Amino acid sequence: MTHGRPSAPLGVRMTSHGGELRVWSATADSLELCLFDTNDSDWVFKTVPMTRDGDVWFARTRSLSPGRQYAVRATGPSTPLDAFDPDRLLLDPYGRGITRSASGWRSVVVDDQFDWQGIESPRTSLDHTVVYEMHVKGFSKLNPDIPVELRGTYAGLAHDASVAALQDLGVTAVELLPVHAFTSEQRLIKQGLENYWGYNTLGFFSPHAPYASDAAQAAGADAVLREFKGMVKALHKGGIEVILDVVYNHTAEEGPGGPTTSLRGIDNRGYYRQDAHGGYIDTTGCGNTLDFGQEAPQNLVLDSLRYWAEEVQIDGFRFDLAATLGRGADLSFDAQHPLLQGILNDPVLSQRKLIAEPWDIGPDGWKTGAFGDGWTEWNDRYRDRMRDFWLGDIARARATGSAGSGIGRFATRLAGSANTFSQERGPLASLNFITAHDGFTLADLTAYNQKHNEGNGENNRDGSSNNNSFNHGVEGTTTDAVILDTRRRAMRNLLGTLLLSAGVPMLTAGDEYGRTQRGNNNAYCQDSELTWLSWKREAWQNDLFDVTKRLLQLRRENPALRPVNFGMFGETVPSASQMDWFNDEGLSMSEDDWNSADERTLQYLAASTPEFEEFNRILLVIHALEEPTSVTLPEHEGVAGYSLLWDSSDDTLDDRETEFVPGQELAVSPTSMQLYRAHD
């Protein structure tokens, strides 16, 4: 079987002889193009046999024009490795529009002309980037400042009220949960549920039509694509980058008994990873896995990425289960895999933000730190350590009298995870997060010890049971003022840790005001007010929003919090931060200070080594026990004083002294953080 790079683009292109469709299949014996009647999308009014050119099949007809619905039929061998059915209508893998008829899915030819009016990407540098992970529908669905007909749509996210809200918060990029065309799994449909998150892709080139406004959907695939591009354009105009969460590791065709909608029926053995008997080798947990040991799936991904980056002006991609994309013919992961290298070496893609979820469920599937230069990786070690430090350790201290661990591992993560990412890659290789769409919200981390996923229809078996959460004495809602105060301080500490750490921070939509999912840590099938953002907020939620805004402002204003490179002892490294560590007495940390579960107090002094910004030095004081303490501010060459910028125990700083000198002793509240700017 020969693959290789097709000599001309796949999918539909307009030519002087009409539309031309090109489809790859190395195994098929014949393919035909099926065209549907304009007024009846279940009536095939014309078929055109496709001609083979190597492993690419093509057909031309003037009937293949914008707005036309079409499909492909394929015949081929009847073996355990194949799934050909000459009667089955299949989606074009490169189709830029997808719609649903009464009897199945249809590809649609789109007119992709769009006036960008000269508006370009903000091109925010990675060290200034703050990612905001959000759901297109959930973000604006309940926003009363957006017209009803636009709520929950691409146009709703493009609305001035949405853009203004993102600007007001201070994030620089939205990371959209999957917006490639997707459908619900067969199991969910039988349960009367639907896939809300979207990790079940139908087509890698088409936007998900149900996220468009009713008017755009009624006008057809052209209008859906225009609305999507309009969203990107509006966000760019507002200074916000757009990153897509892309799911190339598997498709909605599920296991061998699942629905055959495209790749399986066109060339099962060419696209999916199988054993010698035709059994699927699944490293995703979703029934199938694209076989990136072969060139056709590699080309599919590269072509899709280029399309979104060039034609839709997308700024970056977060790759779901990215370890799967680096598995070769023998199933092993290789950071030098042709697909991963193809992305890095592409002149367009290499200029985009490339974010890997660096694991899958296959053999040796945990690969955090293994993706190499050019990649930023979701840092699950950061997530687990920071949750444990502020929640799990505190719970242990209450239960046993000892937190069980010192502050050393926390400091390693705070400073950029140099034990996970190489010196060459630096701290920006770490995508820091405390929460994500998958798992507890920030508020629920502080309110639940156990997951509560009964509404998902799986008897609470789904979702992780290892959450590093702490309910602070009561499971779920409470009116106890002391518990509520402690939970909210824990939220502030977690937000402060995230937004003041070296690396690239990712904030999950709703955490800025303490959104709850009532203990559901796997809300993938909940399309309701449980998962949509509420814009009616209590006073404490507005206060937490203001804290988040303040932390983002402080991150912007203090380059010492945003190093590009790791510092090296005894050297001045450009765009790094020179870091000094002190104990509560203002003395350099000893081995016992780092490891003692009884101390857990740290003073972190970081000075920037700037190339493009003014010199800056900050002091971060962390105290992680539930008893108050005192610290002696450290004495350091060039530091004459400290200005208090933020205190997690007292958000307002009203009527408080804010100027201090080295050697001064200060009272520190239980489980709290303080940020100071050091000045000479």
Side-chain angles (χ1 to χ4, degrees):
M1 184 185 302
T2 59
H3 291 174
R5 191 93 181 130
S7 58
L10 299 177
V12 173
R13 297 293 182 275
M14 293 299 115
T15 74
S16 58
H17 302 286
E20 178 182 81
L21 172 65
R22 295 171 59 85
V23 176
W24 179 92
S25 178
T27 312
D29 294 328
S30 66
L31 267 70
E32 68 176 356
L33 166 63
C34 302
L35 302 167
F36 295 94
D37 182 74
T38 303
N39 299 313
D40 185 350
S41 57
D42 288 315
W43 175 29
V44 176
F45 82 95
K46 184 177 184 179
T47 61
V48 183
M50 300 184 72
T51 301
R52 184 167 194 158
D53 177 13
D55 290 337
V56 174
W57 303 76
F58 69 91
R60 297 189 192 103
T61 172
R62 296 193 183 279
S63 299
L64 193 65
S65 56
R68 176 69 64 192
Q69 296 182 28
Y70 69 101
V72 173
R73 289 191 183 118
T75 61
S78 179
T79 77
L81 298 175
D82 302 303
F84 291 106
D85 180 346
D87 296 323
R88 182 176 285 123
L89 294 163
L90 302 166
L91 290 170
D92 169 14
Y94 282 65
R96 297 185 180 186
I98 293 178
T99 190
R100 186 73 189 256
S101 78
S103 60
W105 299 102
R106 305 287 183 255
S107 295
V108 186
V109 182
V110 298
D111 177 356
D112 53 13
Q113 297 299 309
F114 185 78
D115 183 5
W116 292 94
Q117 296 180 314
I119 294 171
E120 298 181 351
S121 165
R123 299 295 168 94
T124 308
S125 62
L126 199 55
D127 58 312
H128 284 80
T129 295
V130 177
V131 177
Y132 185 76
E133 190 200 39
M134 58 164 287
H135 190 284
V136 166
K137 180 176 182 179
F139 183 76
S140 67
K141 182 65 177 175
L142 299 177
N143 190 340
D145 293 332
I146 294 174
V148 172
E149 65 273 15
L150 301 183
R151 294 177 192 170
T153 69
Y154 300 127
L157 180 51
H159 191 273
D160 288 349
S162 293
V163 177
L166 294 167
Q167 292 171 323
D168 183 41
L169 178 58
V171 297
T172 71
V174 292
E175 180 178 300
L176 306 181
L177 266 66
V179 291
H180 287 168
F182 67 86
T183 187
S184 294
E185 293 85 345
Q186 298 301 296
R187 174 183 55 79
L188 286 180
I189 293 171
K190 290 176 182 177
Q191 291 177 271
L193 298 170
E194 60 184 89
N195 187 317
Y196 174 65
W197 286 349
Y199 293 88
N200 201 46
T201 309
L202 272 172
F204 297 123
F205 291 78
S206 173
H208 188 58
Y211 289 166
S213 62
D214 288 345
Q217 292 184 59
D222 294 354
V224 170
L225 181 57
R226 282 194 299 273
E227 186 172 308
F228 190 101
K229 290 179 177 179
M231 172 192 69
V232 176
K233 176 179 165 182
L235 289 165
H236 282 177
K237 185 177 180 180
I240 307 293
E241 291 188 309
V242 181
I243 298 170
L244 301 188
D245 191 338
V246 287
V247 190
Y248 293 117
N249 55 79
H250 75 283
T251 74
E253 293 186 303
E254 303 183 32
T260 297
T261 55
S262 184
L263 302 182
R264 180 184 291 136
I266 289 172
D267 197 322
N268 191 36
R269 70 172 79 182
Y271 280 112
Y272 290 117
R273 194 175 287 277
Q274 304 178 63
D275 61 26
H277 307 289
Y280 276 10
I281 300 171
D282 183 9
T283 67
T284 68
C286 300
N288 66 62
T289 300
L290 273 277
D291 184 358
F292 295 110
Q294 302 195 67
E295 288 187 16
Q298 296 174 28
N299 292 338
L300 179 68
V301 171
L302 290 169
D303 291 342
S304 171
L305 291 171
R306 288 190 193 101
Y307 169 69
W308 292 98
E310 293 183 306
E311 300 297 326
V312 195
Q313 298 196 14
I314 295 302
D315 302 284
F317 303 92
R318 179 267 188 187
F319 295 84
D320 183 63
L321 299 183
T324 289
L325 277 63
R327 292 186 182 273
D330 63 354
L331 203 60
S332 65
F333 174 85
D334 181 5
Q336 304 301 312
H337 186 284
L339 175 55
L340 301 182
Q341 290 303 301
I343 294 170
L344 290 174
N345 295 332
D346 185 273
V348 174
L349 301 179
S350 62
Q351 302 305 305
R352 300 300 192 261
K353 292 177 171 65
L354 304 173
I355 303 170
E357 182 185 38
W359 52 78
D360 63 17
I361 67 164
D364 191 27
W366 185 79
K367 291 299 176 184
T368 306
F371 272 71
D373 197 25
W375 292 93
T376 296
E377 302 177 37
W378 273 34
N379 190 348
D380 54 327
R381 286 185 167 180
Y382 178 96
R383 173 200 63 200
D384 295 345
R385 175 80 293 253
M386 298 321 197
R387 286 186 181 189
D388 216 32
F389 183 78
W390 288 115
L391 299 170
D393 287 356
I394 302 301
R396 276 185 287 276
R398 283 195 189 182
T400 69
S402 173
S405 67
I407 205 165
R409 289 188 296 144
F410 171 91
T412 299
R413 299 297 162 198
L414 181 75
S417 297
N419 62 341
T420 301
F421 302 101
S422 67
Q423 181 74 30
E424 292 74 23
R425 297 181 67 189
L428 298 181
S430 179
L431 189 290
N432 298 331
F433 66 110
I434 302 291
T435 68
H437 65 278
D438 185 3
F440 279 143
T441 67
L442 180 71
D444 288 354
L445 278 176
T446 71
Y448 294 91
N449 284 352
Q450 309 295 330
K451 63 186 180 182
H452 296 268
N453 299 350
E454 291 81 5
N456 295 354
E458 299 184 50
N459 297 316
N460 208 34
R461 292 190 302 267
D462 63 304
S464 175
S465 298
N466 182 24
N467 295 291
N468 304 98
S469 60
F470 179 37
N471 66 19
H472 294 87
V474 173
E475 185 75 355
T477 57
T478 182
T479 57
D480 188 306
V482 173
I483 292 177
L484 290 173
D485 182 67
T486 307
R487 286 177 177 178
R488 291 166 191 172
R489 187 168 68 251
M491 282 187 253
R492 294 193 295 269
N493 287 330
L494 288 164
L495 283 168
T497 300
L498 173 66
L499 298 177
L500 302 179
S501 291
V504 180
M506 184 184 79
L507 184 67
T508 304
D511 280 353
E512 68 271 23
Y513 68 86
R515 182 179 75 90
T516 180
Q517 289 179 170
R518 300 198 292 273
N520 190 321
N521 76 347
N522 190 36
Y524 74 104
C525 57
Q526 301 293 328
D527 185 1
S528 68
E529 292 191 18
L530 181 71
T531 50
W532 304 338
L533 266 64
S534 172
W535 297 82
K536 296 178 181 178
R537 299 166 188 171
E538 299 178 27
W540 73 267
Q541 292 179 304
N542 290 327
D543 290 343
L544 188 63
F545 181 87
D546 289 340
V547 167
T548 311
K549 279 182 59 175
R550 175 64 173 156
L551 288 166
L552 287 167
Q553 176 189 359
L554 292 171
R555 184 178 184 86
R556 285 193 302 274
E557 293 175 349
N558 292 278
L561 296 168
R562 302 182 272 101
V564 174
N565 299 307
F566 288 127
M568 296 182 69
F569 183 75
E571 297 184 23
T572 300
V573 179
S575 293
S577 287
Q578 178 184 332
M579 299 174 182
D580 294 284
W581 309 88
F582 303 93
N583 64 13
D584 55 356
E585 297 177 334
L587 304 175
S588 294
M589 294 283 285
S590 68
E591 193 69 23
D592 287 344
D593 292 328
W594 285 120
N595 298 321
S596 173
D598 298 324
E599 298 296 333
R600 291 171 64 85
T601 303
L602 174 70
Q603 300 190 77
Y604 163 61
L605 190 65
S608 66
T609 52
E611 291 181 279
F612 310 108
E613 298 180 80
E614 294 296 317
F615 173 78
N616 171 243
R617 183 184 274 125
I618 60 92
L619 175 70
L620 187 60
V621 178
I622 300 105
H623 175 58
L625 291 174
E626 291 194 297
E627 299 81 32
T629 191
S630 63
V631 300
T632 300
L633 294 175
E635 298 183 16
H636 190 280
E637 182 182 356
V639 177
Y642 297 99
S643 300
L644 179 62
L645 303 176
W646 177 71
D647 184 341
S648 70
S649 70
D650 178 8
D651 297 330
T652 64
L653 301 183
D654 290 345
D655 303 319
R656 283 188 57 180
E657 181 182 0
T658 58
E659 296 298 325
F660 307 94
V661 296
Q664 186 172 345
E665 186 173 332
L666 298 180
V668 176
S669 301
T671 52
S672 65
M673 305 173 67
Q674 294 81 41
L675 180 68
Y676 300 82
R677 182 176 291 121
H679 50 82
D680 55 21

